[in-house]
Amino acid sequence: MTVLQIQALEGIPEITAGDDLVAIIADAAGDTLRDGDIVVVTSKIVSKAEARTVQADDREDAITAETVRVVASRTSESGHVTRIVENRLGMISAAAGVDASNTPQGTVLLLPLDPDASARAIATGLRELLGARVGVIVSDTLGRAWREGQTDAAIGAAGVAVFEDLRGQTDAEGRLLVVTQPCVADEIASAAELVKGKAARRPVAIVRGRGDLVGDLDLPGARSIVRPAERDMFRLGTDEAYDQGYAAGVEEMWEERDTAG
Amino acid sequence: MTVLQIQALEGIPEITAGDDLVAIIADAAGDTLRDGDIVVVTSKIVSKAEARTVQADDREDAITAETVRVVASRTSESGHVTRIVENRLGMISAAAGVDASNTPQGTVLLLPLDPDASARAIATGLRELLGARVGVIVSDTLGRAWREGQTDAAIGAAGVAVFEDLRGQTDAEGRLLVVTQPCVADEIASAAELVKGKAARRPVAIVRGRGDLVGDLDLPGARSIVRPAERDMFRLGTDEAYDQGYAAGVEEMWEERDTAG
């Protein structure tokens, strides 16, 4: 395998609640889908089809409702608050995936309730309808620590390996490649973004050439990419962690004083 | 633009110090390189060509030498220390880019001194030699906060936009897309990893289909992707920030006590 081809599907209509994404994708793909293809679907249309649009005069209130834990927040000089939060899915992102772009005024779009289940439903449907053994990735645009800008990542996956399994493989010197675990699902989502674009209505891309990653529908989903907070060295923002430590230090000294006094 | 094609170059030999990467890549690519192609080169072969191999009985010592700031560290139950550090280039990564895989025993490979300059030299050379206006990205494999596994990212770039310029573009509802700034250089590096692989000797890939991103050689390099620490909400690990805060809280109370007493 040395050639990868990534193609955006043309002709995907505006998606509304209740739309059958399997039929719409199959229709747009025609008979071009083959065994081993990976279908990358922007989470936005999955959310729309699943009726995840909610009324929200205030986007900030919607973010608060979707947040299970505030990881970090910062207020700019102009008073704008940026919040990095953990959502129900364990994902860390700005704004908990609450999307106010490309949505009607006065509404916001929430992430799919269970993007792995969404991916599985699409993969199952496409496999049955077209007879092609495809994998499906549901993608979203995420910011990163330490690096500017955003990249697309996998928030749902079905029928495709999310990590490349290098266990047992050796490098050219014969040493085991044990540490490296490429997150191919995120790489595929990023690759697909390059043809889908943000402003255009091309929310689905087909990635061909890594059929080795496509497998059973019960492969681990994108939930397995999320690192649990307790194992994450960056589970809390620097300022937030400092403030917690400061408060604990002061409290510790108060207790000592009380004991001593 | 709706099709992207990514191809790994075959026949790149083992690279050693002083090798002419321009000639080697041009030779492997034959006359297939065209205007608008983006050449993604694994940093490892750039380092090798630039003689960045150093003797190191102890990889940890080499990491220490490359580190300008320890961002976070954690010791596992087995005593293994994981360090997340900032290197000379401002990049945050595990192990400061010190690579001990695919290198001769007793040696490690350091990152190129200036990957943007390396990319510029390769892009300049290829443009002159082949007459094709190509962009060049030097890629490395990086871990992330919050997400398991690694993805490839751009650590050097020349003649290619590292961010997609969406300024002035509107979404389908006519609202300005101001917040989103896709880091296309990182997405291209990730896409290229999917055909290069880790174990195989395919360190160069050609990405065709985003010629709109290819431009002058003086476009900002990958250094502009690195978020300065002072603007980063995760400039320090959670435990490290907590400990600093705790110490400050205790010290504050000592000073108060001294003043009061």
Side-chain angles (χ1 to χ4, degrees), chain A residues 163-258:
Chain A
F163 296 109
E164 185 141 33
D165 190 358
L166 297 177
R167 281 174 303 184
Q169 286 194 42
T170 54
D171 66 17
E173 296 287 316
R175 278 167 300 195
L176 275 171
L177 283 165
V178 281
V179 178
T180 308
Q181 188 188 32
C183 184
V184 283
D186 281 353
E187 293 184 325
I188 290 166
S190 280
E193 201 279 323
L194 291 165
V195 302
K196 290 190 298 181
K198 289 271 170 285
R201 284 209 175 97
R202 286 193 300 259
V204 180
I206 310 299
V207 176
R208 179 167 297 164
R210 286 304 307 264
D212 59 306
L213 299 173
V214 173
D216 293 340
L217 291 172
D218 59 357
L219 283 169
R223 192 69 171 81
S224 64
I225 303 172
V226 174
R227 183 176 292 145
E230 65 271 18
R231 294 210 298 116
D232 199 306
M233 288 193 260
F234 301 91
R235 64 196 172 278
L236 206 59
T238 303
D239 291 347
E240 286 73 12
Y242 183 96
D243 290 348
Q244 283 191 7
Y246 188 91
V250 168
E251 191 183 356
E252 170 76 20
M253 291 295 282
W254 273 110
E255 283 172 11
E256 248 180 57
R257 186 184 298 190
D258 289 350

Side-chain angles (χ1 to χ4, degrees), chain A residues 1-8 10 14 71-74 82-84 90-93 100-107 141-155 163-164 166 169-173 175 177 179-184 186-191 193-199 201-202 207 210 213 222 224-250 252-254 256-257, chain B residues 1-8 10 14 71-74 82-84 90-93 100-107 141-155 163-164 166 169-173 175 177 179-184 186-191 193-199 201-202 207 210 213 222 224-250 252-254 256-257:
Chain A
M1 174 282 317
T2 50
V3 180
L4 197 71
Q5 188 173 309
I6 309 176
Q7 181 150 9
E10 303 289 346
E14 184 68 24
V71 175
S73 70
R74 179 170 289 188
T82 301
R83 285 185 283 179
I84 310 295
M91 281 171 51
I92 311 280
S93 69
S101 69
N102 273 310
T103 58
Q105 300 283 359
T107 67
T141 303
L142 296 179
R144 308 82 64 79
W146 318 319
R147 296 176 79 77
E148 303 283 4
Q150 301 87 32
T151 55
D152 271 24
I155 69 166
F163 296 109
E164 185 141 33
L166 297 177
Q169 286 194 42
T170 54
D171 66 17
E173 296 287 316
R175 278 167 300 195
L177 283 165
V179 178
T180 308
Q181 188 188 32
C183 184
V184 283
D186 281 353
E187 293 184 325
I188 290 166
S190 280
E193 201 279 323
L194 291 165
V195 302
K196 290 190 298 181
K198 289 271 170 285
R201 284 209 175 97
R202 286 193 300 259
V207 176
R210 286 304 307 264
L213 299 173
S224 64
I225 303 172
V226 174
R227 183 176 292 145
E230 65 271 18
R231 294 210 298 116
D232 199 306
M233 288 193 260
F234 301 91
R235 64 196 172 278
L236 206 59
T238 303
D239 291 347
E240 286 73 12
Y242 183 96
D243 290 348
Q244 283 191 7
Y246 188 91
V250 168
E252 170 76 20
M253 291 295 282
W254 273 110
E256 248 180 57
R257 186 184 298 190
Chain B
M1 170 284 316
T2 51
V3 180
L4 197 71
Q5 189 173 306
I6 310 175
Q7 181 149 11
E10 304 288 346
E14 184 69 24
V71 175
S73 69
R74 180 170 289 188
T82 302
R83 283 186 285 179
I84 310 296
M91 282 171 50
I92 312 280
S93 68
S101 67
N102 272 311
T103 57
Q105 300 283 358
T107 68
T141 303
L142 296 179
R144 307 84 62 82
W146 319 320
R147 296 177 78 76
E148 304 283 5
Q150 301 88 31
T151 55
D152 270 24
I155 69 166
F163 296 109
E164 186 140 33
L166 298 177
Q169 285 195 43
T170 55
D171 67 18
E173 296 288 316
R175 279 167 298 195
L177 284 166
V179 178
T180 308
Q181 188 188 31
C183 184
V184 283
D186 280 354
E187 293 184 325
I188 291 167
S190 280
E193 200 278 325
L194 291 165
V195 302
K196 291 189 299 181
K198 290 271 170 283
R201 281 210 178 97
R202 287 193 298 260
V207 176
R210 286 303 309 263
L213 299 172
S224 64
I225 304 172
V226 175
R227 183 176 292 146
E230 63 273 17
R231 295 209 299 115
D232 200 307
M233 288 193 260
F234 301 91
R235 64 196 172 279
L236 206 59
T238 302
D239 291 347
E240 286 74 12
Y242 183 97
D243 290 348
Q244 284 191 7
Y246 188 92
V250 167
E252 171 75 18
M253 291 295 282
W254 273 111
E256 249 181 56
R257 185 184 298 191

Side-chain angles (χ1 to χ4, degrees), chain A residues 21-76:
Chain A
L21 286 184
V22 170
I24 289 168
I25 293 169
D27 193 46
D31 54 1
T32 60
L33 277 180
R34 295 187 206 155
D35 284 354
D37 283 354
I38 299 165
V39 181
V40 184
V41 184
T42 304
S43 66
K44 187 189 289 274
I45 67 164
V46 177
S47 292
K48 285 183 173 175
E50 295 180 359
R52 299 284 293 155
T53 304
V54 295
Q55 296 291 325
D57 295 328
D58 189 73
R59 180 164 174 266
E60 298 305 314
D61 290 347
I63 295 171
T64 303
E66 287 291 290
T67 296
V68 296
R69 187 172 73 90
V70 176
V71 175
S73 70
R74 179 170 289 188
T75 307
S76 74

